[in-house]
Amino acid sequence: MNSDRFPLPTLESLPEDIRDKLLAVQQKAGFVPNVFLKLARRPDEFRAFVGYHDALMLKEGGLTKGEREMIVVATSGANNCLYCVVAHGAILRIYEKNPLIADQLATNWRKAAITPRQHAMLSFAMKVALDSRAVDDHDFRELHAHGFTDEDAWDIAAIAAFFAMSNRLANTVGMMPNPEFHLMGRVPRDRKGG
Amino acid sequence: MNSDRFPLPTLESLPEDIRDKLLAVQQKAGFVPNVFLKLARRPDEFRAFVGYHDALMLKEGGLTKGEREMIVVATSGANNCLYCVVAHGAILRIYEKNPLIADQLATNWRKAAITPRQHAMLSFAMKVALDSRAVDDHDFRELHAHGFTDEDAWDIAAIAAFFAMSNRLANTVGMMPNPEFHLMGRVPRDRKGG
Amino acid sequence: MNSDRFPLPTLESLPEDIRDKLLAVQQKAGFVPNVFLKLARRPDEFRAFVGYHDALMLKEGGLTKGEREMIVVATSGANNCLYCVVAHGAILRIYEKNPLIADQLATNWRKAAITPRQHAMLSFAMKVALDSRAVDDHDFRELHAHGFTDEDAWDIAAIAAFFAMSNRLANTVGMMPNPEFHLMGRVPRDRKGG
Amino acid sequence: MNSDRFPLPTLESLPEDIRDKLLAVQQKAGFVPNVFLKLARRPDEFRAFVGYHDALMLKEGGLTKGEREMIVVATSGANNCLYCVVAHGAILRIYEKNPLIADQLATNWRKAAITPRQHAMLSFAMKVALDSRAVDDHDFRELHAHGFTDEDAWDIAAIAAFFAMSNRLANTVGMMPNPEFHLMGRVPRDRKGG
Amino acid sequence: MNSDRFPLPTLESLPEDIRDKLLAVQQKAGFVPNVFLKLARRPDEFRAFVGYHDALMLKEGGLTKGEREMIVVATSGANNCLYCVVAHGAILRIYEKNPLIADQLATNWRKAAITPRQHAMLSFAMKVALDSRAVDDHDFRELHAHGFTDEDAWDIAAIAAFFAMSNRLANTVGMMPNPEFHLMGRVPRDRKGG
Amino acid sequence: MNSDRFPLPTLESLPEDIRDKLLAVQQKAGFVPNVFLKLARRPDEFRAFVGYHDALMLKEGGLTKGEREMIVVATSGANNCLYCVVAHGAILRIYEKNPLIADQLATNWRKAAITPRQHAMLSFAMKVALDSRAVDDHDFRELHAHGFTDEDAWDIAAIAAFFAMSNRLANTVGMMPNPEFHLMGRVPRDRKGG
């Protein structure tokens, strides 16, 4: 993939609201994730993407933030999206304080060390990601059997659907994960502090 | 699919900006497309969805509005999304003033009566929709050979990706197309005027 | 597809029995469906095709004529056969007096507004069309549970199998549906009479 | 598969033309192939099936009889149709006087000891059998490059399509090949003659 | 496939232990199976391959030798491995004294004349061969329901896995079955004795 | 997956040659990889597996040790084998002194930062892993164009084939990677040394 096809913009060239957003992220994370820089080339799409992402990932609801990231990592693994697997794998490890969970979910979610409820959640998410044409009442009943409501089902489906979009975009425009993501959440705190 | 699982909201219950949007659409089209009512249950997602849609479908660029709808109809056919095939098929017929094109693209885009350039556009869009992991330089070169720029490629990919999301959401929450869509753009004007 | 590869014969050049058949169809429908003209190039295949079609679609039995066309439209959609989806979609709309049913079945039969019995019928037909190697006793028991006999199962399978052939032939020789089919059965009678 | 689901009819119970046909086959082959007995349960379908089969397999044309059977065996292998693989494998071995060819084509046609022209023929036939939606001008040009005409292409496609039907029917109604077929054409004449 | 790509070694050029093995096989079978000659080009791989094969296929355990060959033939058919289907089909016919079983299992194991227990065994083996990522507790419970132990499950899986390797290797290096295999076990003893 | 289904043996219960092998590995790596313990339950299979592995991975030849591990990680990713992706990902990072390469190859080998020669090597390996039935002369010519010999092709194929087996076995018997593997090769030396 020719990495110069969609060159990253300079911070100075960006609209103020987007530049502010990028600087805020940089302050918090220590670096600017490539997805933000890549999408910032197109301000309207950037704003809609970030707005949609936040509406799904940061809202209150029946799923924990870690569980939402589980959906992202498992479905992104199935879509072979390098950027999303590595970047959201890092976030998932941190949320769950579990250095192994992201590799498990990205490689084969069925073998991951998760609860039966989370297994049902991912089973539904994977069907939305890979075979949504066949989703039917039976699938909702399976979710209900594990305590999920219909609104939870919408949340799960919306996250799987949003990353169906995100995975395809990242795969096509050649987005590479920042190297920092690969290690985040893998090393115990005291070791890093060493 | 249990149609009461995600009941449609009443107009009165909606935030003012969303209600205004729905009324404007109703005035223009004569009815409110179900996707707007279904998504209005969740105002933040509604706003992000509409914002993203408009950023991709209404902007200036190297693709005509009709060509953008071709991408929607062809990829939605491949994803078996009833709502998107029927609703966007109607819009496509109207844009292209062609009563046959939507059925052709939704059923088998390869046999549709389109230009070689549009065939190349849809070939790229379908790869983004169905096998984005394998998109590579060769695919971009094919687009260039038909006069598309890299920014056009981003447009094509972004539309295919956005409807990858939209198709999965509509398939999962059981969105049915308004009956009006099935006939729109099929009957010549003077005949309707009878 | 080069439309001149298999040029349509003139009526005068055809054997008398085939010409009579075509004229009879023209009188009834107002036009000669392209499948008849295309196949008439090869009289023996024409006669066998029409004989087989009529033996399956016009006979008495446990399936209504509309239900048989449902099988044709759903399986032809899965095989992406433009000719069969559009032509048989028209016939289905007329038989069922339902302007929406063909688009529903061709795009995603699972979401169509049909009875549970018809859903079971199509589930069996789709397995015959797409994965006949795996048909087993369980599939027959599902049909029995909805009141179908083994002879009905044969009917369903034979129709799905016949159009597996027909779809492949139409896809390969480049058969395009007559424009008339796209609109048939979509406009209420009184409106057309306008 | 419950073998009594579609019991074979007695010869006496059949219409005279079908009984005559079965007796003629028995005289020639030494036994009545199960496909004839199974289909004879439904005289109209029997006549159409046999008429179609003979129109495709016995006519003059650019393909030898052995080459037509190659198409049957290779596509039936891909469709996992036990009856067609075994019965037509026997016919193929006899036509080609080659005891190995049927096992090769049924298991992996790409590794069979055939000519490049036959390889091109089977490549086209397999695309018709497995992915007819994507057949395009390029496929016809490949055939032309090996000396096939467009009418030959129709022959190849029609045979692959007819057995797409036949395979699905045999798979569904549980047709088992007569034991005699397994050995036919495998033993050199003088050895059998002892 | 260029048959000279990996030329067979002469017996004289081989290490003594491998030459002895080949001569022993020749004495017993009357010919040297091509897999032995092809692999003998690489003595270390030959020894490991034969050692692994014998550890799985010749050991004591809950599966008969014929049942182990059933796994080989069914999974090799699914992997389209000509060498393994033909060579192990011969061995299976001899072990089971059944001239039809190999063609049945290689073409469509679901239609073969086997016991329900053998059907469960092959269902598990096919999942290991084709979709091992999804093997779960449910699959083991199905085996237990037919009297298999967990150690039997390991045996089934290990054989399916070993031939997943073997099939890929034979497919890639162009291994053709010896002609003798095609007929072995098909002709009744007394007939051969003529 | 019930982790007690195939309990790990105690070191004392193992044959001496296997115990020695495990102790040697433990000394070198600091822990005993689970694959060794799991397979040690069956000494004959252990010896054949290790012998085959070493014959392919440790021999001299046209591929570097790092390149061999690239084949393992990419094909194991495609087979969703958690154990092999994580364990061999660690070895690959160490061999290549590259903390990012394993995540890239396991998620989407096409986007990895590798040479064109390595890309051709993996393209061949993936075809062997996923579609070996279709490997043909064209694939070998592609390898030759990048400087690989036919013997190199055998090496690539044999490694992909061996891990086709290994992946299926690990997926089925529920092998989990040792936690140590997840971090190995990710942290720069001086950082670890703190």
Side-chain angles (χ1 to χ4, degrees):
Chain A
M1 183 63 64
N2 180 344
S3 61
D4 292 337
R5 177 163 286 134
F6 300 110
L8 301 182
T10 58
L11 273 180
E12 301 73 44
S13 68
L14 296 173
E16 192 174 349
D17 63 318
I18 294 179
R19 192 169 57 233
D20 288 352
K21 174 79 181 175
L22 296 192
L23 291 171
V25 172
Q26 187 172 37
Q27 184 125 18
K28 188 174 170 197
F31 62 96
V32 185
N34 285 335
V35 64
F36 285 103
L37 279 168
K38 203 71 144 184
L39 280 173
R41 301 174 72 256
R42 296 185 160 212
D44 287 347
E45 297 176 35
F46 177 98
R47 292 181 193 108
F49 185 94
V50 172
Y52 217 144
H53 175 277
D54 291 355
L56 295 173
M57 301 301 283
L58 307 182
K59 71 186 281 270
E60 297 298 305
L63 310 179
T64 68
K65 284 209 179 99
E67 286 170 341
R68 291 173 213 210
E69 296 294 338
M70 288 180 191
I71 297 171
V72 180
V73 173
T75 60
S76 298
N79 288 326
N80 303 96
C81 179
L82 181 61
Y83 185 87
C84 299
V85 161
V86 173
H88 287 271
I91 302 172
L92 172 59
R93 284 190 295 268
I94 291 169
Y95 278 156
E96 294 289 312
K97 300 188 196 334
N98 178 341
L100 311 184
I101 187 74
D103 294 340
Q104 292 171 358
L105 288 174
T107 309
N108 190 345
W109 67 273
R110 297 174 200 80
K111 308 290 171 105
I114 53 177
T115 66
R117 184 178 180 271
Q118 289 165 344
H119 192 280
M121 174 188 78
L122 291 180
S123 182
F124 187 78
M126 293 297 275
K127 189 162 183 183
V128 172
L130 299 178
D131 194 27
S132 72
R133 75 205 68 193
V135 171
D136 63 14
D137 277 350
H138 175 77
D139 299 304
F140 284 88
R141 280 195 298 268
E142 284 291 309
L143 284 181
H144 297 167
H146 287 87
F148 291 104
T149 66
D150 281 339
E151 294 301 325
D152 295 335
W154 180 302
D155 285 346
I156 298 168
I159 294 168
F162 182 81
F163 282 89
M165 174 178 69
S166 188
N167 293 168
R168 280 158 181 76
L169 204 54
N171 275 343
T172 304
V173 305
M175 227 177 263
M176 293 295 279
N178 308 57
E180 289 87 343
F181 282 127
H182 289 263
L183 191 58
M184 279 170 62
R186 292 187 184 275
V187 189
R189 287 266 160 182
D190 53 356
R191 184 166 178 184
K192 278 162 68 182
Chain B
M1 185 60 66
N2 181 346
S3 62
D4 293 336
R5 177 162 287 136
F6 299 109
L8 301 182
T10 59
L11 275 180
E12 300 74 44
S13 68
L14 297 173
E16 192 173 352
D17 64 318
I18 293 179
R19 192 167 60 233
D20 288 351
K21 173 78 180 176
L22 296 192
L23 290 170
V25 172
Q26 185 172 39
Q27 186 125 17
K28 187 173 170 197
F31 62 95
V32 184
N34 285 336
V35 65
F36 286 103
L37 279 168
K38 204 71 145 182
L39 281 173
R41 301 174 71 256
R42 297 184 158 212
D44 286 348
E45 296 175 36
F46 177 97
R47 292 180 192 109
F49 184 95
V50 171
Y52 215 145
H53 175 276
D54 291 356
L56 295 173
M57 302 301 283
L58 306 182
K59 70 186 280 273
E60 296 299 304
L63 310 179
T64 69
K65 286 209 178 100
E67 286 170 343
R68 294 174 210 208
E69 296 294 338
M70 288 180 191
I71 297 170
V72 179
V73 173
T75 60
S76 299
N79 289 327
N80 303 95
C81 179
L82 181 60
Y83 185 87
C84 299
V85 162
V86 173
H88 287 271
I91 301 171
L92 172 59
R93 284 189 296 268
I94 290 170
Y95 278 156
E96 294 289 310
K97 299 190 198 333
N98 179 341
L100 311 184
I101 187 72
D103 294 340
Q104 292 171 359
L105 289 174
T107 309
N108 190 346
W109 67 274
R110 296 175 202 81
K111 309 290 171 105
I114 53 177
T115 67
R117 185 179 180 272
Q118 289 164 346
H119 192 280
M121 173 188 80
L122 292 180
S123 182
F124 186 79
M126 293 297 276
K127 190 162 182 182
V128 173
L130 300 178
D131 194 27
S132 72
R133 73 204 71 190
V135 171
D136 63 12
D137 278 351
H138 175 77
D139 300 304
F140 284 88
R141 281 195 298 269
E142 285 290 309
L143 284 181
H144 297 167
H146 286 86
F148 292 104
T149 66
D150 280 341
E151 294 301 325
D152 295 335
W154 180 303
D155 285 347
I156 298 168
I159 294 169
F162 181 81
F163 282 89
M165 173 178 70
S166 188
N167 293 169
R168 281 159 179 76
L169 203 54
N171 274 344
T172 304
V173 306
M175 230 177 262
M176 292 295 278
N178 307 57
E180 289 88 343
F181 282 126
H182 289 263
L183 191 58
M184 278 170 63
R186 292 186 183 276
V187 189
R189 286 266 159 184
D190 54 356
R191 184 168 178 184
K192 278 163 66 183
Chain C
M1 186 60 66
N2 181 345
S3 62
D4 293 336
R5 177 162 287 136
F6 299 109
L8 301 182
T10 59
L11 274 180
E12 300 74 43
S13 68
L14 296 174
E16 193 174 351
D17 64 317
I18 293 180
R19 191 167 60 233
D20 288 352
K21 174 79 182 176
L22 296 193
L23 291 171
V25 172
Q26 185 172 40
Q27 185 125 17
K28 187 173 171 198
F31 62 96
V32 183
N34 286 335
V35 65
F36 287 103
L37 279 168
K38 205 70 146 184
L39 280 174
R41 301 174 74 257
R42 297 186 158 209
D44 287 348
E45 296 176 35
F46 178 97
R47 292 181 192 109
F49 185 95
V50 172
Y52 216 145
H53 175 277
D54 292 356
L56 295 173
M57 303 300 283
L58 306 182
K59 71 186 280 273
E60 297 298 304
L63 309 179
T64 69
K65 285 207 179 102
E67 286 170 342
R68 293 174 210 208
E69 296 294 337
M70 288 181 189
I71 297 170
V72 179
V73 173
T75 60
S76 298
N79 288 327
N80 303 95
C81 179
L82 181 60
Y83 185 87
C84 299
V85 162
V86 174
H88 286 271
I91 301 171
L92 171 59
R93 285 190 295 269
I94 290 170
Y95 277 156
E96 294 289 309
K97 300 189 196 333
N98 178 340
L100 311 184
I101 187 75
D103 293 341
Q104 292 171 358
L105 289 174
T107 310
N108 190 345
W109 67 274
R110 297 174 200 80
K111 308 292 171 101
I114 53 176
T115 66
R117 184 178 180 273
Q118 289 165 345
H119 192 280
M121 173 188 78
L122 292 179
S123 181
F124 186 79
M126 293 298 275
K127 189 162 183 183
V128 172
L130 300 177
D131 193 26
S132 71
R133 74 204 70 193
V135 171
D136 63 13
D137 278 350
H138 174 77
D139 300 302
F140 283 88
R141 281 195 298 268
E142 284 292 308
L143 284 182
H144 297 166
H146 286 86
F148 291 104
T149 66
D150 281 338
E151 294 300 325
D152 294 335
W154 180 303
D155 285 346
I156 298 169
I159 294 169
F162 181 81
F163 282 89
M165 173 178 69
S166 189
N167 293 169
R168 280 159 179 76
L169 203 53
N171 275 343
T172 303
V173 304
M175 230 177 263
M176 293 294 279
N178 306 59
E180 290 88 341
F181 282 127
H182 289 263
L183 192 57
M184 278 170 62
R186 292 187 182 275
V187 190
R189 287 267 160 183
D190 54 356
R191 186 168 179 183
K192 277 163 67 182
Chain D
M1 184 62 66
N2 179 346
S3 60
D4 293 335
R5 177 162 287 133
F6 300 109
L8 301 182
T10 58
L11 275 181
E12 301 74 43
S13 68
L14 296 174
E16 192 174 350
D17 64 318
I18 294 179
R19 192 168 58 232
D20 288 351
K21 173 80 181 175
L22 297 192
L23 291 171
V25 171
Q26 186 172 35
Q27 185 126 20
K28 187 173 169 198
F31 61 95
V32 184
N34 285 336
V35 65
F36 286 102
L37 278 168
K38 204 73 145 182
L39 280 173
R41 300 175 72 256
R42 297 185 159 211
D44 287 348
E45 296 175 37
F46 177 97
R47 292 180 192 110
F49 185 94
V50 171
Y52 216 145
H53 174 276
D54 292 354
L56 296 172
M57 303 301 283
L58 307 182
K59 72 187 279 275
E60 296 298 305
L63 310 179
T64 68
K65 285 209 179 98
E67 286 171 342
R68 293 173 210 209
E69 295 295 337
M70 288 181 190
I71 298 171
V72 179
V73 172
T75 61
S76 298
N79 289 326
N80 303 96
C81 179
L82 180 61
Y83 185 86
C84 300
V85 162
V86 173
H88 287 271
I91 301 171
L92 172 59
R93 284 190 295 268
I94 291 169
Y95 278 156
E96 295 289 310
K97 299 190 197 334
N98 178 339
L100 310 184
I101 187 74
D103 294 339
Q104 292 171 358
L105 288 174
T107 309
N108 190 345
W109 67 274
R110 299 175 199 78
K111 308 290 170 104
I114 53 177
T115 67
R117 185 178 180 271
Q118 288 164 345
H119 192 281
M121 174 188 79
L122 292 180
S123 183
F124 187 78
M126 293 299 276
K127 189 162 182 182
V128 172
L130 300 178
D131 194 27
S132 72
R133 74 206 70 193
V135 171
D136 64 13
D137 277 352
H138 174 77
D139 300 304
F140 284 88
R141 280 195 298 269
E142 285 290 309
L143 284 181
H144 297 166
H146 286 86
F148 292 104
T149 66
D150 281 340
E151 294 301 325
D152 294 335
W154 180 303
D155 285 345
I156 298 169
I159 294 169
F162 181 81
F163 282 89
M165 173 177 71
S166 188
N167 293 168
R168 281 158 179 77
L169 203 54
N171 275 342
T172 305
V173 305
M175 227 177 264
M176 293 295 277
N178 308 59
E180 289 86 344
F181 282 127
H182 289 263
L183 190 59
M184 279 169 64
R186 292 188 183 275
V187 189
R189 285 266 160 185
D190 54 355
R191 183 166 178 184
K192 276 162 70 183
Chain E
M1 186 60 66
N2 182 345
S3 60
D4 292 336
R5 178 161 286 133
F6 299 110
L8 301 182
T10 57
L11 275 180
E12 300 73 44
S13 69
L14 296 174
E16 192 175 350
D17 63 320
I18 294 180
R19 191 168 58 233
D20 288 351
K21 173 81 181 174
L22 297 193
L23 290 171
V25 172
Q26 186 172 36
Q27 182 126 18
K28 186 173 172 198
F31 61 97
V32 183
N34 286 334
V35 64
F36 286 102
L37 278 169
K38 203 71 144 183
L39 280 173
R41 300 175 72 256
R42 297 185 159 211
D44 287 347
E45 297 176 36
F46 178 97
R47 292 182 193 108
F49 185 93
V50 172
Y52 217 144
H53 175 278
D54 291 355
L56 296 173
M57 303 300 283
L58 305 183
K59 71 187 278 272
E60 297 298 304
L63 310 180
T64 68
K65 284 207 178 102
E67 285 170 342
R68 293 173 210 207
E69 295 295 336
M70 288 181 191
I71 297 171
V72 179
V73 173
T75 61
S76 298
N79 288 327
N80 303 96
C81 179
L82 181 61
Y83 186 86
C84 300
V85 161
V86 173
H88 287 271
I91 301 170
L92 172 60
R93 285 189 296 269
I94 291 169
Y95 278 156
E96 294 289 310
K97 300 188 197 335
N98 178 340
L100 311 184
I101 188 73
D103 293 340
Q104 292 171 358
L105 288 174
T107 309
N108 190 345
W109 67 274
R110 297 175 200 80
K111 309 292 170 101
I114 53 176
T115 67
R117 184 177 181 273
Q118 289 165 345
H119 192 280
M121 172 188 80
L122 292 180
S123 182
F124 187 79
M126 293 298 276
K127 190 163 183 182
V128 172
L130 300 178
D131 194 26
S132 71
R133 74 205 72 195
V135 171
D136 64 14
D137 277 350
H138 174 76
D139 300 304
F140 284 88
R141 280 196 297 270
E142 285 291 310
L143 284 182
H144 297 168
H146 286 85
F148 291 104
T149 66
D150 280 340
E151 294 300 326
D152 295 334
W154 180 302
D155 285 345
I156 298 169
I159 294 168
F162 181 81
F163 282 89
M165 174 178 68
S166 188
N167 293 169
R168 281 158 179 76
L169 203 54
N171 276 342
T172 303
V173 305
M175 227 177 266
M176 294 294 279
N178 307 57
E180 289 87 343
F181 282 127
H182 289 263
L183 191 58
M184 278 169 63
R186 291 186 183 277
V187 189
R189 287 266 161 184
D190 54 355
R191 185 167 177 183
K192 278 163 67 183
Chain F
M1 184 61 65
N2 182 345
S3 60
D4 293 337
R5 176 162 288 134
F6 299 109
L8 302 182
T10 58
L11 275 180
E12 301 73 43
S13 68
L14 296 174
E16 192 172 352
D17 63 320
I18 295 180
R19 191 168 58 232
D20 288 351
K21 173 81 180 173
L22 296 192
L23 290 171
V25 172
Q26 186 172 38
Q27 184 125 16
K28 187 173 170 197
F31 61 97
V32 183
N34 285 334
V35 65
F36 286 103
L37 278 168
K38 204 69 144 184
L39 280 173
R41 300 175 71 255
R42 294 183 160 214
D44 287 347
E45 297 176 36
F46 178 96
R47 292 182 193 109
F49 184 95
V50 172
Y52 216 144
H53 174 279
D54 291 356
L56 296 173
M57 303 301 283
L58 306 183
K59 72 188 276 273
E60 296 299 304
L63 310 178
T64 68
K65 287 213 178 93
E67 285 170 342
R68 293 173 211 208
E69 295 294 336
M70 289 181 190
I71 297 170
V72 179
V73 172
T75 60
S76 298
N79 288 327
N80 303 97
C81 178
L82 181 60
Y83 185 87
C84 299
V85 162
V86 173
H88 287 271
I91 301 171
L92 172 59
R93 286 190 295 268
I94 290 169
Y95 278 155
E96 295 289 310
K97 300 190 198 330
N98 178 339
L100 311 184
I101 188 73
D103 293 340
Q104 292 171 359
L105 288 174
T107 309
N108 190 346
W109 68 274
R110 298 175 200 80
K111 309 291 170 102
I114 54 177
T115 66
R117 184 179 180 274
Q118 288 165 345
H119 191 280
M121 173 188 80
L122 292 179
S123 182
F124 187 78
M126 293 298 274
K127 190 161 182 182
V128 172
L130 300 178
D131 194 26
S132 71
R133 72 204 73 191
V135 171
D136 63 13
D137 277 351
H138 174 77
D139 300 303
F140 284 87
R141 281 195 297 270
E142 285 291 309
L143 285 181
H144 298 166
H146 287 86
F148 291 105
T149 66
D150 281 338
E151 294 300 326
D152 295 334
W154 180 304
D155 285 346
I156 299 169
I159 294 169
F162 181 81
F163 282 89
M165 173 177 71
S166 188
N167 292 169
R168 280 158 180 77
L169 203 55
N171 275 342
T172 304
V173 305
M175 229 177 264
M176 293 294 279
N178 307 57
E180 288 88 342
F181 282 127
H182 290 263
L183 192 58
M184 278 169 62
R186 292 186 183 277
V187 189
R189 286 265 159 184
D190 55 355
R191 185 167 178 183
K192 277 162 67 183

